[in-house]
Amino acid sequence: MRLSRFFLPILKENPKEAEIVSHRLMLRAGMMRQEAAGIYAWLPLGFRVLKKIEQIVREEQDRAGALELLMPTLQLADLWRESGRYDAYGPEMLRILDRHKRELLYGPTNEEMITEIFRSYVKSYKNLPLNLYHIQWKFRDEQRPRFGVMRGREFLMKDAYSFDLDEAGARRSYNKMFVAYLRTFARMGLKAIPMRAETGPIGGDLSHEFIVLAETGESGVFCDKDVLDLPIPPDDVDYDGDLNPIIKQWTSLYAATEDVHDAARFESEVPAEKRVNTRGIEVGQIFYFGTKYSDSMKALVAGPDGVDVPIHGGSYGVGVSRLVGAIIEACHDDAGIKWPEAVAPFRAAILNLKQGDAAVDGACEKLYRELTAKGVDVLYDDTDQRAGAKFAAADLIGIPWQILVGPKGLADGKVEVKRRSDGSRENMSPADVVAKLAG
Amino acid sequence: MRLSRFFLPILKENPKEAEIVSHRLMLRAGMMRQEAAGIYAWLPLGFRVLKKIEQIVREEQDRAGALELLMPTLQLADLWRESGRYDAYGPEMLRILDRHKRELLYGPTNEEMITEIFRSYVKSYKNLPLNLYHIQWKFRDEQRPRFGVMRGREFLMKDAYSFDLDEAGARRSYNKMFVAYLRTFARMGLKAIPMRAETGPIGGDLSHEFIVLAETGESGVFCDKDVLDLPIPPDDVDYDGDLNPIIKQWTSLYAATEDVHDAARFESEVPAEKRVNTRGIEVGQIFYFGTKYSDSMKALVAGPDGVDVPIHGGSYGVGVSRLVGAIIEACHDDAGIKWPEAVAPFRAAILNLKQGDAAVDGACEKLYRELTAKGVDVLYDDTDQRAGAKFAAADLIGIPWQILVGPKGLADGKVEVKRRSDGSRENMSPADVVAKLAG
């Protein structure tokens, strides 16, 4: 992509309304724009990151055997009356009347609707287990939306729903999502630690939050240092096999948010030199809630003995739009964002340091053409800005690899490659750059 | 994908509420489920088609130089008061009050919001031309939603918005979208003919509808037979070059919907043997509306002489969810859907005609493994249904290639490959099947 043809409205000033660094950097880097309190438009740079995160979430859900569908944003109020949550949900639910005065709502979550879909079609235990997910916009009418996409009102969430004949099956489904979440966040370059959690309005008696460690996080976190170095399950993890060893490994070391922190247990279980007290951001939560929805909504299947029983359910959320902010909170410095490669809007940026110089222009065009042909997603800064402004913009928007092309280096047949994550720099020939980044 | 692990709730009976064939087939094939009047959940099979259509639309927008972003579903009413459309839009607009009694609406289209985004950042003609698009759910509160996804209330649309300094530039932007649309629909296996159209509530003085020819279409269509065989612009069409010859070629032959049909002109311009009178479905519409929104909303840029002028705009819609229905209307027979390969939910289906027979099971598993490894999207019917039921299901859901694996054929080292589009059949070795489909 040529920057001269891209839409990247970088702000020079720090926006006053932004209280936290991810909000500030997303506005400054031209990633998004607020359209109403807690409602954002994703500008092209931000949209690219959102799509990359969404795709990683999708791939790992698919790998774990979940099936993607797509439920609508609007739901019938009557569906929520069946579960008893319509009145219980309170003012965070956005309630809507259509032209015929039918009561709708903008879905904040989908337990009711997916249960209604399930019960309409599935009648036998033979069709279980089943895990259905979608990635769709949700709405929660927060009293005081803030922190940009970290606590917006209209937000993108992946929510999966599992259906099993009994608790043992439901725990297997729960474990699959637990493992899928470990892989999902690791692929985004994040340390996300599963922590035992309260179940809140979803209900049930088993839940884990996945917490990304970031010094600027919303809540305090206490854990055993060793939990930070546990191995992530590999690409070929067998989801049909026994996942208990992985779950046990990840849940036997102390890890808790301040809400449920037990100082006495922490001190007795964790040696002093291994006690970590930092901050974190919740990016996912998984729930096992048994028959809470299948009882009230009559989602029954015939068991092997022919008797109808309510299914055992779980739900599994990932905050897709929130992750954009969470990754920035975890990956930035004073100059701007430092995208992990897997979610970067572009893998590399070419900075033409003397636009209009025939040799420099020619070298940049050639690099751009060759990298693009090799499938490297590259942003070519071909604008007439000064070199200093180009450096600052590239650092701000956080592209992992910057290729600096100027007349001096070119005289020696070299360009400079800067790695955004650690600031390291290396001179190399354009051909070597192509080989390095396309490799 | 193994059918035993997929979620494909095929209906045996024809649903009474479905008045047209695409609605009936989408329900019967387990592609979607109605959640409220005109509001649908996309079940896994339907979701796959929706995503393929969306991706083709995206690739062709990108190729034409449009930039993708994503605007929210909800908008502030005040934005629409600026353009004067808030009161004018009528009861089709879904109006919403949030917890603080702020007036929101569920966007039916985005001219106002994109104009607000544009004017916030772009101040000079040097940043033009610009074409921004998104693919997002919209809502129109139809008085009487019907025909399934063909006239739903919550629907997925691609809408692009172009910004130019003057009318000449805006016409170039219009022509780019015209060409992109020709390519988009052709890639989906459709004959979509551009026809001069009324501009309606969007406004402006130039518009074309793209009409898919289908005998079951919603409106009558009159055209010159030769328009059906015009060449589609190739992959490497130069969007920066002169597109006028393509536009002229496509607009000089007679083609009109019954709304604007001129019988006298039709008879004088088109020889009797070339007069085609059939039916069609609108799947896209493009508009040039000049300064309609930039005047009222003050979207001004400084021209080369430093004087601020309102930009010239256009908007360009594709009905992404509607296309799923339109393609079925154009591609089906009495047995079910016949998906064009580019949008098929799976490219091939393996039908195990004797589940439990070791040789047949083994051959199916091997084919499934090899095709999957070669990147062929394949649905393996490994259920214990009778062969007849498997044939009927495969025809109903319309997978382009059916691979029938039974004991008789295998005794000769052969499987049968049936092409859904024309019903042709061929016996070949499993290795040849893999070579054919992976080629």
Side-chain angles (χ1 to χ4, degrees):
Chain A
M1 178 66 64
R2 290 168 194 278
L3 184 53
S4 61
R5 293 184 166 207
F6 198 53
F7 181 60
L8 183 67
I10 285 177
L11 303 184
K12 297 228 165 56
E13 313 269 305
N14 265 328
K16 287 190 205 78
E17 72 270 31
E19 298 172 54
I20 61 170
V21 67
S22 60
H23 190 188
R24 196 158 62 235
L25 286 173
M26 286 182 73
L27 290 171
R28 284 203 48 212
M31 290 179 64
M32 64 157 181
R33 175 174 180 77
Q34 180 171 304
E35 293 299 329
I39 301 179
Y40 296 92
W42 294 77
L43 304 182
L45 194 77
F47 177 74
R48 283 176 161 251
V49 177
L50 188 69
K51 275 284 156 183
K52 293 217 171 165
I53 291 172
E54 179 186 309
Q55 186 57 23
I56 291 173
V57 171
R58 172 175 293 125
E59 287 170 9
E60 295 302 328
Q61 290 292 296
D62 292 346
R63 193 194 302 270
L67 298 171
E68 189 167 8
L69 44 63
L70 187 59
M71 290 176 271
T73 61
L74 299 192
Q75 308 186 15
L76 286 176
D78 283 344
L79 204 52
W80 287 65
R81 293 207 173 88
E82 276 197 61
S83 72
R85 286 208 293 179
Y86 188 66
D87 294 324
Y89 213 93
E92 286 197 4
M93 178 181 281
L94 189 67
R95 294 156 210 258
I96 302 169
L97 277 183
D98 74 8
R99 67 190 290 172
H100 298 300
K101 305 297 174 211
R102 277 175 300 216
E103 291 172 282
L104 301 171
L105 57 95
Y106 200 122
T109 176
N110 285 60
E111 280 81 7
E112 283 78 1
M113 188 179 280
I114 198 75
T115 302
E116 187 271 337
I117 290 173
F118 177 88
R119 76 181 177 194
S120 305
Y121 301 114
V122 183
K123 308 294 182 191
S124 163
Y125 78 99
K126 290 180 190 162
N127 298 115
L128 303 182
L130 190 63
N131 187 331
L132 300 169
Y133 79 98
H134 74 159
I135 302 174
Q136 178 62 293
W137 292 90
K138 311 284 192 299
F139 201 92
R140 284 183 198 157
D141 203 356
E142 298 265 359
Q143 167 72 10
R144 196 189 152 209
R146 54 186 179 152
F147 304 148
V149 300
M150 300 283 283
R151 199 184 295 176
R153 295 197 292 168
E154 187 171 327
F155 60 98
L156 187 60
M157 187 164 97
K158 184 285 297 180
D159 35 327
Y161 303 89
S162 67
F163 301 89
D164 282 276
L165 180 63
D166 54 26
E167 180 173 343
R171 283 181 181 268
R172 277 192 295 275
S173 294
Y174 185 93
N175 289 351
K176 287 183 189 180
M177 288 294 105
F178 190 109
V179 170
Y181 278 32
L182 290 175
R183 289 188 42 78
T184 298
F185 301 122
R187 279 187 60 190
M188 295 174 195
L190 295 172
K191 288 259 182 220
I193 312 297
M195 301 190 183
R196 188 89 180 199
E198 302 297 325
T199 56
I202 302 286
D205 58 5
L206 174 61
S207 179
H208 285 88
E209 286 180 344
F210 286 73
I211 306 279
V212 164
L213 301 186
E215 282 167 25
T216 54
E218 64 208 341
S219 54
V221 166
F222 300 82
C223 68
D224 186 320
K225 189 171 179 298
D226 289 345
V227 83
L228 304 178
D229 299 316
L230 288 175
I232 299 297
D235 284 9
D236 61 352
V237 57
D238 178 10
Y239 280 104
D240 293 326
D242 182 10
L243 300 174
N244 278 314
I246 300 174
I247 309 299
K248 197 168 169 200
Q249 185 180 42
W250 278 90
T251 53
S252 54
L253 290 169
Y254 190 94
T257 61
E258 59 195 355
D259 301 344
V260 294
H261 178 52
D262 177 341
R265 222 193 99 201
F266 187 51
E267 282 166 30
S268 78
E269 286 184 15
V270 185
E273 72 279 10
K274 292 200 171 176
R275 287 179 204 148
V276 173
N277 177 3
T278 180
R279 304 194 67 78
I281 301 163
E282 189 219 315
V283 289
Q285 188 164 6
I286 60 180
F287 302 88
Y288 163 63
F289 46 66
T291 59
K292 176 177 158 91
Y293 298 93
S294 54
D295 278 335
S296 58
M297 295 184 65
K298 305 273 180 299
L300 311 177
V301 296
D305 57 2
V307 176
D308 279 354
V309 293
I311 62 89
H312 283 249
S315 66
Y316 314 92
V318 170
V320 176
S321 49
R322 166 171 255 244
L323 269 163
V324 181
I327 292 170
I328 296 174
E329 293 291 334
C331 311
H332 70 273
D333 62 15
D334 289 346
I337 305 166
K338 304 200 284 190
W339 293 115
E341 292 208 26
V343 299
F346 297 94
R347 181 129 186 272
I350 299 169
L351 275 53
N352 183 327
L353 303 182
K354 199 166 183 188
Q355 199 75 33
D357 176 292
V360 178
D361 289 356
C364 286
E365 292 287 338
K366 185 157 183 284
L367 260 173
Y368 177 61
R369 223 169 30 237
E370 290 178 359
L371 285 168
T372 303
K374 299 248 183 195
V376 181
D377 224 351
V378 55
L379 181 66
Y380 169 24
D381 189 343
D382 61 345
T383 63
D384 54 11
Q385 296 272 312
R386 289 172 304 103
K390 292 190 180 187
F391 294 144
D395 278 357
L396 174 64
I397 68 175
I399 309 302
W401 299 95
Q402 299 172 11
I403 308 165
L404 317 181
V405 184
K408 269 192 209 158
L410 275 187
D412 294 334
K414 303 281 187 188
V415 300
E416 190 176 25
V417 175
K418 175 179 163 185
R419 188 174 182 163
R420 178 67 179 96
S421 60
D422 59 8
S424 62
R425 289 158 185 271
E426 199 180 347
N427 288 310
M428 57 178 85
S429 71
D432 285 347
V433 174
V434 174
K436 181 189 178 80
L437 292 177
Chain B
M1 177 66 66
R2 288 170 195 277
L3 184 54
S4 62
R5 294 184 166 209
F6 197 54
F7 181 61
L8 182 67
I10 285 177
L11 303 184
K12 296 227 167 56
E13 313 269 307
N14 265 327
K16 287 191 207 76
E17 72 269 32
E19 298 171 57
I20 61 170
V21 67
S22 61
H23 190 187
R24 196 159 62 235
L25 287 173
M26 287 183 73
L27 291 170
R28 284 202 49 212
M31 291 180 63
M32 65 158 182
R33 175 175 180 77
Q34 179 169 306
E35 294 299 330
I39 301 179
Y40 296 92
W42 294 77
L43 304 182
L45 194 78
F47 177 72
R48 284 177 160 251
V49 177
L50 188 69
K51 276 285 157 182
K52 293 217 170 167
I53 292 171
E54 180 185 310
Q55 186 57 24
I56 291 173
V57 171
R58 171 175 293 126
E59 287 170 10
E60 295 302 328
Q61 290 293 294
D62 292 347
R63 192 193 303 270
L67 298 171
E68 189 167 7
L69 44 62
L70 186 59
M71 291 176 270
T73 61
L74 299 192
Q75 308 186 14
L76 285 176
D78 283 344
L79 204 52
W80 286 64
R81 293 207 173 87
E82 277 197 61
S83 72
R85 286 208 293 179
Y86 188 67
D87 294 323
Y89 213 94
E92 286 196 4
M93 178 181 280
L94 189 67
R95 294 155 211 259
I96 303 169
L97 277 183
D98 74 8
R99 69 190 290 171
H100 298 301
K101 306 295 174 213
R102 277 174 300 217
E103 293 173 282
L104 302 171
L105 57 95
Y106 199 122
T109 177
N110 285 61
E111 281 80 8
E112 283 78 2
M113 188 179 280
I114 198 74
T115 301
E116 187 272 336
I117 291 172
F118 176 89
R119 76 181 177 194
S120 305
Y121 301 113
V122 182
K123 308 294 182 191
S124 163
Y125 78 97
K126 290 180 189 162
N127 298 113
L128 303 182
L130 190 63
N131 186 331
L132 300 169
Y133 78 97
H134 75 159
I135 302 174
Q136 178 62 293
W137 293 89
K138 312 283 192 299
F139 200 93
R140 284 184 196 156
D141 202 356
E142 298 265 0
Q143 167 73 10
R144 197 189 151 207
R146 55 186 178 151
F147 304 148
V149 300
M150 299 284 284
R151 198 184 294 176
R153 293 198 293 168
E154 187 171 327
F155 60 98
L156 187 60
M157 187 163 95
K158 184 285 298 180
D159 35 327
Y161 303 90
S162 67
F163 301 89
D164 282 276
L165 179 63
D166 53 26
E167 180 174 342
R171 283 181 181 269
R172 276 192 296 275
S173 295
Y174 185 92
N175 289 349
K176 287 182 189 178
M177 288 294 105
F178 189 110
V179 170
Y181 278 32
L182 290 175
R183 287 189 43 79
T184 299
F185 301 122
R187 279 187 59 190
M188 295 175 194
L190 296 172
K191 287 256 182 224
I193 311 297
M195 302 190 184
R196 188 88 183 202
E198 302 298 323
T199 56
I202 302 285
D205 58 5
L206 173 62
S207 178
H208 285 88
E209 286 180 344
F210 285 74
I211 306 280
V212 165
L213 302 187
E215 282 166 27
T216 54
E218 64 207 341
S219 52
V221 166
F222 300 83
C223 68
D224 186 320
K225 189 172 179 297
D226 290 345
V227 82
L228 305 177
D229 298 316
L230 287 175
I232 299 297
D235 285 8
D236 61 352
V237 58
D238 178 10
Y239 280 104
D240 293 326
D242 181 10
L243 299 174
N244 277 314
I246 300 174
I247 308 300
K248 197 168 168 203
Q249 184 179 42
W250 278 91
T251 53
S252 54
L253 289 169
Y254 190 93
T257 60
E258 59 197 354
D259 301 345
V260 294
H261 177 53
D262 177 342
R265 221 194 99 200
F266 187 52
E267 282 166 29
S268 79
E269 284 184 16
V270 185
E273 73 279 11
K274 292 198 170 177
R275 285 178 206 150
V276 173
N277 176 4
T278 180
R279 303 194 67 77
I281 301 163
E282 189 217 316
V283 289
Q285 188 165 6
I286 60 179
F287 301 89
Y288 163 64
F289 46 66
T291 59
K292 175 176 158 91
Y293 297 94
S294 55
D295 279 334
S296 58
M297 295 184 65
K298 305 273 180 298
L300 311 177
V301 297
D305 57 2
V307 177
D308 280 354
V309 292
I311 61 89
H312 284 249
S315 67
Y316 314 92
V318 170
V320 176
S321 48
R322 165 172 257 243
L323 269 164
V324 181
I327 292 171
I328 296 174
E329 294 291 334
C331 310
H332 70 273
D333 61 17
D334 289 345
I337 305 167
K338 305 198 286 187
W339 292 116
E341 292 208 27
V343 300
F346 296 94
R347 180 129 185 272
I350 299 170
L351 275 54
N352 183 326
L353 303 183
K354 198 166 183 187
Q355 199 76 33
D357 176 292
V360 179
D361 289 357
C364 287
E365 292 288 337
K366 186 158 183 285
L367 260 173
Y368 178 60
R369 224 169 28 240
E370 290 178 0
L371 285 168
T372 304
K374 299 248 182 193
V376 180
D377 226 351
V378 55
L379 181 67
Y380 170 23
D381 188 342
D382 60 346
T383 63
D384 53 11
Q385 296 272 313
R386 288 172 304 103
K390 292 190 181 188
F391 294 144
D395 277 357
L396 174 63
I397 67 176
I399 309 303
W401 299 96
Q402 299 172 12
I403 308 165
L404 317 181
V405 185
K408 270 193 209 159
L410 276 185
D412 294 333
K414 303 282 186 187
V415 300
E416 190 177 24
V417 176
K418 174 180 163 185
R419 187 174 183 165
R420 178 69 178 97
S421 60
D422 59 9
S424 63
R425 290 158 184 271
E426 198 181 347
N427 288 309
M428 57 178 83
S429 71
D432 285 346
V433 173
V434 174
K436 180 188 179 80
L437 292 177

